[in-house]
Amino acid sequence: MSVLMILAVLAVLATAAFLLSRQRALASADGNPRQLHSLPLYYGWFGALAVLVPALAALAVWLMLQPMVIEARISASLPATLVSDATSAELTMADVRRVAAGLDAAVAQGAMSEAEAGMIRTEFTDVRDRLAKVGVALGSNVSKDVLAAAQDYRAMSHWGAAGRTAAVLALAVLGLLWGVTRAHKDFRARNLVEKAMLGLLMAASSIAILTTVGIVWSMVSETFDFFSKYPIQDFFFSLTWSPNFRGGSDLGILPLVWGTLYITLISMLVAVPVGLFAAIYLAEYASKPVRNWVKPLIEIIAGIPTVVFGIFALVTVGPMLRDWFAAPLGLGNSGSSVMTAGIVIGILNIPFISSLSDDIINAVPQSLRDGSLGLGATRSETVRQVVLPAALPGIVGAVLMAASRAIGETMIVVMGAGAAAKLSLNPFEAMTTMTVKIVGQLTGDTDFAAPETLVAFALGMTLFVITLGLNIFALWIVRKYREQYE
């Protein structure tokens, strides 16, 4: 039984437990809800939770452990020549999983029977050609050992799925019986249900923390692996970015950092004045009808896919800057440039700064404006000397969020700025960013253990540190001015 079918059965059992528990609690009180310790709804939810909590917990644990157990057993049965080191073992297990998935697809499409999938041999059948007929492409011929391991993998997976179904449904049925039998007028169902909901809320609030920990761990572990194979001083201080999978690579990060910061700076020079001035106009000067029309029109920009902005940069902005500025001034003849990407990313970030700053300015207490105007200040003086300083922490947060978005932008940079890693002050030259190179180093047929691939994690860790620094700076600004204007 598939996972979706198990979830459907659990939903049915939970619904039945809800109704039966509620009915049994009311029956114990002779149909009078006033004699119950808790509302009838709580008894129903207790029965449903008695079904769902142990069953879903067992399902989650099983789904996590089953692949690890199966792969450990399969890896132990493979010849030593195929698993001589960690990289070889990982590649071999990847082949085993692909062949097993291909056999599953062939059986599902009726190209071969279940018995034939378990008995097929490389001595009599071209497995690669056979699976290609059902749409499963393999990079190389399937060896005898890999095929046997794939067949064992399928068999263990099928037995594991059967055991998973039996265990989960057994726990669900036991939970149903236990939850229904506990439903009585004196049972404190409300207390237990509220504790369960509190645990659910705590788990939900922990997801962001655990996700951050997982991201940092994955980055740190692979970054250390990279620096064990490539000199750290060359990475941080070399002025050349020249990856070469045949050896002799120079993986200096400085050209990528420069391109990232240069494009981000130009985008902020475009987005911050336009977005902030638009927010001030909408919050302080625009009439209600104008605000109701202009603000949604500005926010439409945020819904446009970045690939559309990339096309706009490639087809419109780039040629315009080349023909109007770069070529006449002798600064270049290419439409792909730092200026092109920076301007388009700045346009992309206008609604973020405008909408957030507008909401923040509107949150400034009206009493501050009234006091300033009562003392004789003009509206512009009130905005400059009272409203903006009071809203400064939120505005800084909006600007830094837009800066983080600019730093992480990839598609617009690829189509608008090119892929050249260089150090130059000319804004009309093609450059690139760290995010573009992360994508480039992790795509294609590459050796994951090579420094040229692992460098992507070092670049990601560097980006993480940069954005962390921006967040710390924003926190410092917020704390400083919040104490001043509270």
Side-chain angles (χ1 to χ4, degrees), residues 161-325:
R164 177 186 65 209
T165 301
V168 171
L169 295 184
L171 286 173
V173 172
L174 292 175
L176 185 149
L177 297 175
W178 182 72
V180 172
T181 55
R182 293 292 299 274
H184 188 267
K185 65 179 183 178
D186 297 326
F187 179 62
R188 300 175 180 271
R190 182 186 62 189
N191 298 350
L192 294 177
V193 170
E194 290 183 349
K195 286 182 179 179
M197 293 307 298
L198 177 61
L200 178 63
L201 294 175
M202 292 176 62
S205 64
S206 301
I207 289 177
I209 298 174
L210 295 177
T211 302
T212 303
V213 172
I215 292 173
V216 173
W217 172 252
S218 62
M219 288 292 178
V220 169
S221 59
E222 298 297 340
T223 300
F224 275 110
D225 190 12
F226 167 73
F227 287 129
S228 67
K229 300 177 180 180
Y230 190 83
I232 187 172
Q233 65 274 10
D234 292 346
F235 177 74
F236 284 109
F237 299 107
S238 176
L239 303 180
T240 304
W241 175 267
S242 178
N244 183 3
F245 282 90
R246 292 184 296 273
S249 296
D250 196 345
L251 305 175
I253 194 177
L254 289 181
L256 304 183
V257 173
W258 172 250
T260 301
L261 297 180
Y262 203 175
I263 292 175
T264 301
L265 175 63
I266 293 176
S267 69
M268 289 296 99
L269 292 176
V270 173
V272 172
V274 177
L276 184 56
F277 290 167
I280 294 172
Y281 170 73
L282 292 175
E284 299 295 329
Y285 295 98
S287 63
K288 188 173 182 180
V290 172
R291 175 184 171 83
N292 292 338
W293 277 97
V294 173
K295 187 171 182 179
L297 291 176
I298 294 176
E299 292 176 349
I300 288 176
I301 300 177
I304 300 175
T306 56
V307 66
V308 177
F309 279 101
I311 295 173
F312 175 63
L314 181 66
V315 175
T316 303
V317 178
M320 181 186 70
L321 292 177
R322 178 194 60 201
D323 297 338
W324 291 6
F325 297 100

Side-chain angles (χ1 to χ4, degrees), residues 62-413:
W62 198 293
L63 290 175
M64 287 188 294
L65 294 181
Q66 178 178 315
M68 293 188 291
V69 173
I70 292 177
E71 291 192 10
R73 296 187 62 180
I74 294 297
S75 180
S77 65
L78 289 170
T81 55
L82 295 179
V83 291
S84 57
D85 53 52
T87 302
S88 300
E90 184 177 350
L91 294 175
T92 302
M93 285 307 304
D95 290 338
V96 170
R97 288 191 294 269
R98 278 195 292 268
V99 174
L103 294 174
D104 287 337
V107 172
Q109 297 179 22
M112 65 175 65
S113 64
E114 186 66 44
E116 186 180 1
M119 297 172 58
I120 190 172
R121 295 291 182 270
T122 57
E123 295 89 346
F124 309 106
T125 305
D126 188 344
V127 179
R128 180 186 180 189
D129 182 63
R130 187 75 178 272
L131 295 181
K133 294 180 180 179
V134 296
V136 179
L138 300 177
S140 59
N141 292 326
V142 180
S143 66
K144 175 182 177 181
D145 296 321
V146 170
L147 177 60
Q151 292 169 332
D152 292 340
Y153 187 95
R154 293 184 70 248
M156 292 181 186
S157 297
H158 292 166
W159 279 107
R164 177 186 65 209
T165 301
V168 171
L169 295 184
L171 286 173
V173 172
L174 292 175
L176 185 149
L177 297 175
W178 182 72
V180 172
T181 55
R182 293 292 299 274
H184 188 267
K185 65 179 183 178
D186 297 326
F187 179 62
R188 300 175 180 271
R190 182 186 62 189
N191 298 350
L192 294 177
V193 170
E194 290 183 349
K195 286 182 179 179
M197 293 307 298
L198 177 61
L200 178 63
L201 294 175
M202 292 176 62
S205 64
S206 301
I207 289 177
I209 298 174
L210 295 177
T211 302
T212 303
V213 172
I215 292 173
V216 173
W217 172 252
S218 62
M219 288 292 178
V220 169
S221 59
E222 298 297 340
T223 300
F224 275 110
D225 190 12
F226 167 73
F227 287 129
S228 67
K229 300 177 180 180
Y230 190 83
I232 187 172
Q233 65 274 10
D234 292 346
F235 177 74
F236 284 109
F237 299 107
S238 176
L239 303 180
T240 304
W241 175 267
S242 178
N244 183 3
F245 282 90
R246 292 184 296 273
S249 296
D250 196 345
L251 305 175
I253 194 177
L254 289 181
L256 304 183
V257 173
W258 172 250
T260 301
L261 297 180
Y262 203 175
I263 292 175
T264 301
L265 175 63
I266 293 176
S267 69
M268 289 296 99
L269 292 176
V270 173
V272 172
V274 177
L276 184 56
F277 290 167
I280 294 172
Y281 170 73
L282 292 175
E284 299 295 329
Y285 295 98
S287 63
K288 188 173 182 180
V290 172
R291 175 184 171 83
N292 292 338
W293 277 97
V294 173
K295 187 171 182 179
L297 291 176
I298 294 176
E299 292 176 349
I300 288 176
I301 300 177
I304 300 175
T306 56
V307 66
V308 177
F309 279 101
I311 295 173
F312 175 63
L314 181 66
V315 175
T316 303
V317 178
M320 181 186 70
L321 292 177
R322 178 194 60 201
D323 297 338
W324 291 6
F325 297 100
L329 296 175
L331 297 176
N333 295 310
S334 174
S336 298
S337 65
V338 172
M339 188 66 73
T340 300
I343 290 175
V344 176
I345 294 175
I347 296 172
L348 173 66
N349 280 330
I350 287 175
F352 288 91
I353 297 177
S354 174
S355 296
L356 291 175
S357 299
D358 176 41
D359 295 337
I360 292 162
I361 292 173
N362 281 320
V364 174
Q366 184 63 32
S367 59
L368 293 179
R369 297 180 178 86
D370 295 339
S372 176
L373 295 172
L375 291 173
T378 64
R379 179 176 291 187
S380 63
E381 290 173 339
T382 300
V383 171
R384 286 186 287 107
Q385 299 178 14
V386 177
V387 176
L388 288 183
L392 185 61
I395 293 174
V396 170
V399 171
L400 291 179
M401 189 180 76
S404 298
R405 181 178 176 86
I407 290 173
E409 182 56 48
T410 303
M411 185 59 65
I412 296 175
V413 177

Side-chain angles (χ1 to χ4, degrees), residues 436-451:
V436 173
K437 291 306 178 182
I438 289 174
V439 175
Q441 299 307 118
L442 289 179
T443 54
D445 189 11
T446 59
D447 181 8
F448 196 82

